[in-house]
Amino acid sequence: MTTKYNEQALESLIEKHLTGYSIEELNDKSLSVGSFYESEDSYLSGKGYFIGSPLDFDKRYALDTKRFWDFLEKTQAKELAKLQVSSDWKLKILERFDRKVKKDGILKLLKKGLEVDNAYFTLFYEAPSASSAQSIRDNFEANQFSITRQVRYSLVNTGEEIDMVLFVNGIPLATIELKNPWTGQTAAVQGIKQYKYTRDASQSLLQFGRCLVHFAVDTDEIYMTTKLQGKDTFFLPFNKGDNFGKGNPINPNGHKTAYLWEDIFKKEKLAQIIQHYMLLEGKDKEPLSKKFYIFPRYHQLDVVSKLISDVQEKGVGETYLIQHSAGSGKSNSITWTAFQLIEVEDSVGNPMFDSVIVVTDRRILDRQLRENIKSFSDVKNIVAPAYSSADLKQSLESGKRIIVTTIQKFPHILDGIDSMVDKRFGIIIDEAHSSQGGSAADKMNQVLGALESNEEGDVDAQDLIIRAMQARKMRKNASYFAFTATPKNSTLERFGSKQEDGSYKPFHLYSMKQAIEEGFILDVISNYTTYKSYYQLHKSIEDNPEFNTKKAQRKLKGFVEKDPRTIRAKAQIMLEHFMEQVFYKKTVLNNKAKAMVVTQSIESAIRYYKTLNELLAEKGFPFKSIIAFSGAKTVDGIEYTEATMNGFPDSDTKDEFDKDEYRMLVVANKYLTGFDQPKLTTMYVDKKLQGVLCVQALSRLNRSAPKLGKKTENLFVLDFFNDSADIKASFDPFYTSTTLSTETDVNVLHDLKDALDDKGIYEWGEVEDFNTKFFKGVSAEDLSPIIDTAAQRFNSDLDFNEEEKADIKIKAKHFVKVYGQLAAIISFENMNWEKLFWFLKFLIPKMKVKQREEDLLDELLESVDLSTYGIERVRLNEKLSLDDSESELDPNNANPRGAHDPGEKAELDSIIREFNERWFANWDATPDDKRLFFQTFVEKIQQHPDYESKYLNNHDHYTRDIAYNKILDQVALQMRKVQLDFAKQWLDEHFKQDFKSSTQRALGR
């Protein structure tokens, strides 16, 4: 038989693995599927599947009727006999089946069976447990799994086919569209597109609830959905992950995606998914069409099955650290783990755990556990809350198998576990909300001794759990399962898996890198800009005492940062950026985008909040800000609380901030962790961020919001306090192979455009013509000739060699990437950049670059880090690469520096001189000269002929700002001639914005 490399070859491979034969092999032997199965010996020669015939598929009922009736006749003949007294007994069963599927979905029928008149039919026999009776094992083996190729499913377009359909007892479980990259077709593109646009979801097989899942599969990747909705269909990756990112690793024994048919399609694994994973989500009263199925992602299946296997092998008493990023679906992973742990049995068939305790502060998880248990268990009331050791005892005595408690009550639960040595517990710790504050923290300190907390009394949840466990001798009657995205070194040491070399690793990992690359969270550090503050201080005393240098520097900076003038300057920058780049850009989240202002302390938060409100009132902007902090704080002799400042209770803050009238949230510590608001796109940082807190705080922006069209390019962080190196050091241990660039120099666009212009690929008139037609909305066929002409020059006419082509295409891609990022940050008046951006967006796909090994070049073009290239070739912007390997944290230091360590000392003169050198712009001028220059600049603005008419007396915000920018540029042009240092800094857009704000403040406008 001739070897093939297309989709048919992949079909044949899957079919042969599952059934032992392929249609091609049967054809070579002149056998039909029917004659093949005349002998039962042919069955089970593969992995227990029958080869299905497309001729047996009933399009109306979406059933393989041969397998359906054969299963019922062989397993439930007595029940069938009750109905066979009627001549239309088959139609009666099919019609009843059809109505129930349309009402409840196939999952419920597989689990609960089908009642028809006085007969009851089991449609699927569940997989046995370790202690199940032989009859249960025999029943499971009586299930008839089958795989059918080229299924014609449509009553309308009768020739339309699905590549493969997987059935159990004639009932469809999964449809599969296969693609093969070797023929230029991929699952991610053509496979998904086929399901969305060319498969008729109104036909029975593809209607929601008729089938559990739909797979788009090629040899490299797998994507899945449980609900086909045309262009709105949302596909999830079903991949293992590769090098901590998306995709799949090389499989030395075959295709990368072979795990689908070699593992997932095993009869026992599919039975587990049906019994223990799949869920129907939606409100009880809603019709089926408003609901959706949850099918586990690969890493969720993987972590739960590995946890259960390890528990079965090692017994009770182990600890497990599951490092799963935001976006991993931890809530579902936890609920699946909890339910399956209570079903784990020891060697004699007894439950391995008397109870599973879930420690969480997410109220939604408590509700989710209760709802999900309904789907998994015939016994409903097995979930209960417990807030003390007495509650724990009472819950156990009343037969509760899953007990939910809060993180702050965790120490009391440990007391209960300590006293119940005859009971065995599984403890799942959900560290989604990473801090506890207020009175809860006070009570925990009483139980555990003093715990390190911030100004608002917040205690880190990981520290709390570790201290609670350290405060008691840990008994072996409990297993611990800790879920976190950002484990500290102490958490790794307590819960991690110890390696042979003495190190500790997570038991299971789903990295932030993979979550970002798979699109479940957004990359919060892709648009990170830092502002550097410049200060000059004067020594106002004659004495020159010595101080601890570092502490003095911090104190001096804190003094400056709290000054109302400093806060107003920064608040103005924040507000101007938010208005211009977020609020007035109506396309950003459908004009619903919000920002968070992160401040150094509660006092700073109060000052920022008041200043922002003053500026909002002055400028008449149509939204409000909210403040959030714990407790009460006295500032300037006045006591403030969150409730009194906002005008509503603290408990309403989250809900109020979700309203469109509130756009900015000012915080110090509160809401930096565990706060999910998908509309957050922008963060203004004026606080030292480092380590776990840095990652958690910035991750407030990473929540995806597909319905609002939230994208990575919508995210923006403006940092007044930290530099790029600080952020890199914080993200390295958790982000794995993510990159962070320092501020992008806009001049790179000039250089790239010049380089592209010089190549002669396009005439500027063509770029103008393209943009004119494009923005008029002309048809694609009118645009193609313009693009094709430029593409032909690049591809052949200009006779570039392949290295030159690669270099040009990389420059074009880099221009599009950099401009796309910067356009979201800064307002440009360079229309040529905008026009070239759109022209290149259409030209790049047609720029063909070939080498002897095409696939290697494609890999080069797609994987080359364009920012790095920009540094090496253009040398305009620095690029910071985060650690690409597994990061290592040092163990806790047994000898930390004391709080009153004298440190390095220096005289006050020296400290102030160093501070000024560090924080003041290095102009070659005295402070008096600088002050005179600034006063002169402001006076020239006031003397400008347009100042009064177009700015001072203009009440239209938009035209007023345009007028001021024009005046500012004209005055700057005059003043640059007398101050060279100013002329150099005027080229820096950030300096220009700061200077503009300063002049407006000086003018009182």
Side-chain angles (χ1 to χ4, degrees):
M1 187 166 59
T2 304
T3 302
K4 295 182 178 179
Y5 301 99
N6 55 12
E7 289 84 359
Q8 182 185 340
L10 192 52
E11 281 181 28
S12 180
L13 175 70
I14 296 170
E15 183 179 51
K16 181 175 175 61
H17 178 82
L18 295 175
T19 69
Y21 288 87
S22 67
I23 293 291
E24 287 78 5
E25 289 176 327
L26 295 185
N27 290 339
D28 286 346
K29 296 179 179 181
S30 300
L31 288 172
S32 67
V33 173
S35 62
F36 178 62
Y37 284 123
E38 288 176 5
S39 167
E40 286 295 316
D41 294 339
S42 301
Y43 182 51
L44 302 181
S45 58
K47 300 298 178 184
Y49 277 70
F50 286 95
I51 295 179
S53 170
L55 299 176
D56 296 328
F57 181 73
D58 186 305
K59 297 174 184 177
R60 178 182 172 187
Y61 298 109
L63 289 170
D64 181 328
T65 52
K66 177 177 176 60
R67 301 264 72 88
F68 183 73
W69 296 121
D70 193 57
F71 167 72
L72 292 180
E73 287 163 0
K74 287 180 177 175
T75 60
Q76 297 159 86
K78 288 183 180 179
E79 295 299 307
L80 277 178
K82 295 177 183 178
L83 302 176
Q84 285 171 335
V85 295
S86 172
S87 60
D88 62 347
W89 63 274
K90 282 192 175 183
L91 182 61
K92 184 178 286 189
I93 293 173
L94 291 174
E95 285 294 314
R96 175 67 174 163
F97 174 87
D98 191 56
R99 284 194 297 273
K100 291 296 288 181
V101 170
K102 287 175 179 175
K103 181 177 182 292
D104 298 324
I106 198 63
L107 181 63
K108 185 173 182 179
L109 284 175
L110 289 170
K111 290 184 172 185
K112 304 297 183 184
L114 178 68
E115 291 179 313
V116 185
D117 294 348
N118 62 334
Y120 169 79
F121 299 102
T122 297
L123 298 182
F124 173 71
Y125 288 115
E126 293 188 346
S129 65
S131 62
S132 293
Q134 187 59 43
S135 59
I136 295 175
R137 298 174 187 275
D138 293 341
N139 281 341
F140 178 70
E141 290 302 324
N143 288 318
Q144 297 186 18
F145 287 82
S146 61
I147 188 92
T148 306
R149 294 167 60 178
Q150 299 303 311
V151 176
R152 295 190 175 185
Y153 69 96
S154 177
L155 289 167
V156 179
N157 300 308
T158 55
E160 213 166 87
E161 298 175 336
I162 295 285
D163 287 339
M164 304 188 87
V165 182
L166 190 152
F167 298 88
V168 63
N169 305 325
I171 298 168
L173 298 181
T175 71
I176 309 165
E177 285 289 1
L178 296 170
K179 299 298 167 191
N180 197 323
W182 287 350
T183 60
Q185 303 271 302
T186 66
V189 179
Q190 286 80 12
I192 289 176
K193 184 178 179 182
Q194 200 164 34
Y195 269 122
K196 284 185 174 183
Y197 301 107
T198 65
R199 293 292 175 256
D200 185 356
S202 68
Q203 297 301 302
S204 291
L205 177 63
L206 302 185
Q207 289 172 3
F208 175 66
R210 288 280 184 178
C211 187
L212 298 182
V213 65
H214 307 280
F215 289 110
V217 182
D218 64 33
T219 56
D220 296 329
E221 290 190 312
I222 303 171
Y223 293 85
M224 67 171 182
T225 186
T226 60
K227 191 171 188 176
L228 294 174
Q229 304 176 90
K231 64 180 177 60
D232 297 323
T233 304
F234 185 64
F235 276 84
L236 302 171
F238 190 75
N239 298 313
K240 290 183 171 185
D242 184 28
N243 190 28
F244 309 110
K246 67 177 183 178
N248 288 299
I250 292 171
N251 174 9
N253 300 312
H255 295 311
K256 292 181 179 180
T257 52
Y259 60 89
L260 182 67
W261 52 93
E262 292 178 358
D263 180 32
I264 304 301
F265 287 171
K266 285 178 180 176
K267 297 191 299 181
E268 295 77 14
K269 182 62 72 76
L270 284 172
Q272 286 177 6
I273 292 171
I274 292 169
Q275 293 166 224
H276 300 316
Y277 290 92
M278 283 217 62
L279 297 163
L280 180 62
E281 285 284 298
K283 296 178 181 177
D284 289 341
K285 294 182 180 179
E286 287 181 334
L288 184 66
S289 60
K290 297 287 186 182
K291 301 177 182 180
F292 61 94
Y293 282 139
I294 291 179
F295 191 96
R297 287 151 63 187
Y298 182 85
H299 71 271
Q300 293 175 315
L301 268 177
D302 192 54
V303 68
V304 176
S305 61
K306 284 180 176 173
L307 285 171
I308 300 303
S309 295
D310 203 76
V311 167
Q312 288 172 327
E313 179 186 341
K314 297 178 181 175
V316 180
E318 300 294 319
T319 58
Y320 301 90
L321 176 63
I322 298 92
Q323 185 179 347
H324 280 197
S325 164
S328 66
K330 278 197 292 289
S331 294
N332 281 326
S333 297
I334 288 170
T335 59
W336 288 324
T337 302
F339 178 71
Q340 293 189 43
L341 283 174
I342 64 174
E343 290 210 323
V344 176
E345 297 174 345
D346 58 23
S347 56
V348 294
N350 294 322
M352 195 167 281
F353 297 102
D354 294 282
S355 179
V356 171
I357 300 168
V358 180
V359 184
T360 182
D361 276 346
R362 287 193 279 182
R363 281 175 288 177
I364 189 172
L365 191 57
D366 184 5
R367 186 171 66 251
Q368 201 168 355
L369 277 163
R370 294 173 189 273
E371 292 298 317
N372 291 352
I373 292 304
K374 289 181 184 178
S375 300
F376 297 143
S377 176
D378 292 328
V379 182
K380 303 302 179 191
N381 298 311
I382 60 173
V383 182
Y387 302 115
S388 66
S389 52
D391 288 344
L392 177 63
K393 185 177 180 182
Q394 182 180 351
S395 294
L396 285 170
E397 288 173 350
S398 58
K400 305 302 183 184
R401 299 294 310 283
I402 296 178
I403 297 167
V404 183
T405 190
T406 61
I407 289 176
Q408 62 261 35
K409 299 297 182 183
F410 180 65
H412 303 297
I413 297 300
L414 283 179
D415 282 337
I417 292 171
D418 257 358
S419 65
M420 300 180 194
V421 293
D422 59 326
K423 301 289 185 182
R424 296 179 295 184
F425 300 91
I427 301 176
I428 299 175
I429 301 165
D430 169 32
E431 191 262 317
H433 288 191
S434 192
S435 61
Q436 303 300 315
S439 60
D442 293 340
K443 291 175 184 175
M444 289 186 289
N445 285 337
Q446 293 171 15
V447 176
L448 304 176
L451 286 162
E452 184 178 342
S453 63
N454 59 31
E455 182 188 10
E456 298 183 45
D458 290 338
V459 176
D460 184 272
Q462 290 189 45
D463 292 343
L464 161 66
I465 289 161
I466 297 300
R467 180 68 67 86
M469 292 175 70
Q470 288 172 343
R472 292 158 182 80
K473 183 181 171 96
M474 296 312 299
R475 301 188 182 276
K476 299 298 282 186
N477 66 329
S479 294
Y480 291 84
F481 308 85
F483 285 77
T484 179
T486 50
K488 292 184 171 183
N489 48 11
S490 55
T491 307
L492 269 166
E493 192 169 355
R494 172 59 68 177
F495 295 106
S497 303
K498 191 170 185 178
Q499 308 299 301
E500 290 183 1
D501 62 359
S503 63
Y504 293 86
K505 288 185 178 182
F507 177 81
H508 199 273
L509 173 70
Y510 178 81
S511 71
M512 288 188 183
K513 177 186 175 186
Q514 187 171 351
I516 288 170
E517 290 184 357
E518 291 188 339
F520 290 102
I521 58 173
L522 304 178
D523 186 356
V524 297
I525 57 173
S526 63
N527 238 347
Y528 204 99
T529 296
T530 56
Y531 263 66
K532 188 171 183 180
S533 302
Y534 296 100
Y535 312 123
Q536 185 154 0
L537 303 177
H538 296 276
K539 192 178 74 164
S540 57
I541 56 173
E542 293 185 8
D543 293 341
N544 208 16
E546 286 191 343
F547 294 99
N548 178 302
T549 306
K550 290 183 179 178
K551 288 185 179 179
Q553 292 281 347
R554 285 199 300 270
K555 197 76 173 176
L556 288 171
K557 188 174 183 186
F559 166 76
V560 175
E561 296 293 351
K562 286 197 292 188
D563 188 279
R565 290 168 295 181
T566 308
I567 288 176
R568 186 176 177 88
K570 293 178 183 178
Q572 196 153 354
I573 291 169
M574 294 174 187
L575 204 52
E576 286 173 0
H577 173 270
F578 185 78
M579 294 306 299
E580 292 175 12
Q581 300 303 327
V582 182
F583 189 80
Y584 285 143
K585 290 195 173 179
K586 307 293 185 184
T587 56
V588 180
L589 269 66
N590 301 326
N591 200 29
K592 294 182 181 295
K594 299 178 184 287
M596 178 182 276
V597 180
V598 181
T599 69
Q600 190 67 20
S601 62
I602 297 177
E603 179 183 341
S604 294
I606 291 169
R607 294 190 187 280
Y608 262 110
Y609 173 76
K610 294 175 72 175
T611 303
L612 283 168
N613 282 346
E614 288 170 7
L615 291 170
L616 286 168
E618 287 174 17
K619 297 180 181 293
F621 291 149
F623 60 83
K624 297 184 248 182
S625 65
I626 282 181
I627 190 170
F629 62 92
S630 300
K633 183 70 175 179
T634 300
V635 177
D636 299 333
I638 302 172
E639 184 178 271
Y640 296 95
T641 66
E642 178 181 324
T644 56
M645 295 189 79
N646 288 327
F648 46 77
D650 298 10
S651 57
D652 293 346
T653 299
K654 287 184 181 181
D655 292 335
E656 289 293 322
F657 185 55
D658 192 52
K659 296 178 180 177
D660 287 346
E661 63 187 287
Y662 294 104
R663 293 302 182 94
M664 302 183 88
L665 173 64
V666 184
V667 303
N669 300 294
K670 194 174 184 179
Y671 295 153
L672 289 188
T673 62
F675 176 57
D676 287 342
Q677 171 47 267
K679 297 173 191 173
L680 274 177
T681 63
T682 306
M683 184 176 285
Y684 303 106
V685 180
D686 195 14
K687 178 188 185 74
K688 180 65 177 175
L689 294 177
Q690 59 186 1
V692 170
L693 179 63
C694 176
V695 177
Q696 291 178 331
L698 295 181
S699 294
R700 295 312 97 213
L701 302 183
N702 72 11
R703 273 43 184 176
S704 61
K707 291 182 180 178
L708 294 173
K710 186 176 179 182
K711 301 175 183 176
T712 297
E713 51 262 39
N714 300 140
L715 305 187
F716 183 80
V717 180
L718 181 59
D719 196 328
F720 293 89
F721 206 103
N722 309 283
D723 60 34
S724 301
D726 296 332
I727 305 305
K728 168 184 160 48
S730 296
F731 272 85
D732 261 338
F734 313 113
Y735 233 65
T736 307
S737 192
T738 300
T739 58
L740 168 66
S741 295
T742 54
E743 304 86 63
T744 304
D745 187 337
V746 298
N747 290 305
V748 71
L749 294 171
H750 286 301
D751 295 343
L752 287 169
K753 180 179 178 297
D754 289 347
L756 291 168
D757 288 352
D758 290 343
K759 296 300 179 183
I761 300 165
Y762 50 78
E763 300 294 338
W764 192 252
E766 293 168 347
V767 177
E768 296 273 9
D769 186 28
F770 174 87
N771 275 267
T772 301
K773 291 178 177 177
F774 177 70
F775 286 104
K776 281 184 178 178
V778 303
S779 65
E781 63 182 2
D782 291 328
L783 296 175
S784 286
I786 306 172
I787 296 297
D788 289 343
T789 300
Q792 183 172 312
R793 292 192 193 111
F794 174 86
N795 294 330
S796 58
D797 292 357
L798 293 176
D799 219 16
F800 295 123
N801 62 38
E802 297 305 323
E803 285 72 23
E804 289 173 318
K805 285 184 178 181
D807 184 69
I808 294 166
K809 188 168 184 179
I810 288 170
K811 282 187 169 72
K813 281 186 159 187
H814 196 28
F815 183 95
V816 168
K817 178 184 178 182
V818 173
Y819 181 77
Q821 290 176 338
L822 288 177
I825 307 172
I826 304 169
S827 298
F828 289 111
E829 294 183 5
N830 192 328
M831 289 305 298
N832 287 345
W833 286 351
E834 181 79 6
K835 291 173 181 176
L836 184 58
F837 170 81
W838 287 107
F839 184 84
L840 291 177
K841 286 267 282 188
F842 284 78
L843 176 61
I844 287 169
K846 293 199 171 188
M847 297 170 77
K848 306 298 181 186
V849 181
K850 297 181 180 179
Q851 278 187 348
R852 288 182 298 276
E853 299 177 60
E854 273 191 57
D855 54 339
L856 288 179
L857 182 61
D858 286 342
E859 184 179 340
L860 165 69
L861 292 178
E862 294 304 324
S863 66
V864 65
D865 193 306
L866 297 176
S867 294
T868 303
Y869 176 86
I871 299 164
E872 294 174 353
R873 302 298 296 273
V874 187
R875 307 189 78 77
L876 287 171
N877 56 327
E878 184 188 0
K879 154 113 175 28
L880 302 176
S881 296
L882 297 181
D883 194 348
D884 193 33
S885 60
E886 294 180 79
S887 299
E888 290 187 358
L889 300 176
D890 293 328
N892 288 326
N893 187 352
N895 301 295
R897 172 176 281 188
H900 303 289
D901 190 295
E904 181 185 341
K905 289 195 171 183
E907 292 186 339
L908 183 58
D909 267 338
S910 173
I911 291 171
I912 289 184
R913 184 172 61 253
E914 181 185 338
F915 188 84
N916 287 337
E917 287 171 356
R918 200 174 190 183
W919 295 103
F920 196 83
N922 191 24
W923 288 15
D924 186 17
T926 66
D928 287 340
D929 289 340
K930 293 171 193 170
R931 188 161 45 251
L932 179 61
F933 176 84
F934 184 78
Q935 289 171 349
T936 305
F937 197 107
V938 172
E939 288 170 3
K940 285 186 176 292
I941 289 175
Q942 291 173 310
Q943 294 163 7
H944 193 281
D946 291 339
Y947 174 71
E948 287 194 13
S949 61
K950 295 185 179 180
Y951 177 69
L952 189 62
N953 300 320
N954 185 357
H955 299 293
D956 180 77
H957 172 76
Y958 181 73
T959 57
R960 188 171 182 265
D961 200 50
I962 292 175
Y964 194 80
N965 286 336
K966 184 177 178 182
I967 295 168
L968 195 72
D969 284 337
Q970 290 176 0
V971 173
L973 189 61
Q974 299 172 27
M975 298 297 286
R976 281 188 294 190
K977 298 173 183 176
V978 298
Q979 176 45 266
L980 184 60
D981 287 312
F982 171 79
K984 291 176 182 176
Q985 287 205 270
W986 190 251
L987 299 174
D988 185 311
E989 190 66 30
H990 294 155
F991 174 82
K992 189 175 179 179
Q993 288 297 323
D994 279 349
F995 196 86
K996 172 186 172 182
S997 299
S998 299
T999 57
Q1000 288 178 311
R1001 288 196 299 276
L1003 291 164
R1005 302 293 293 175

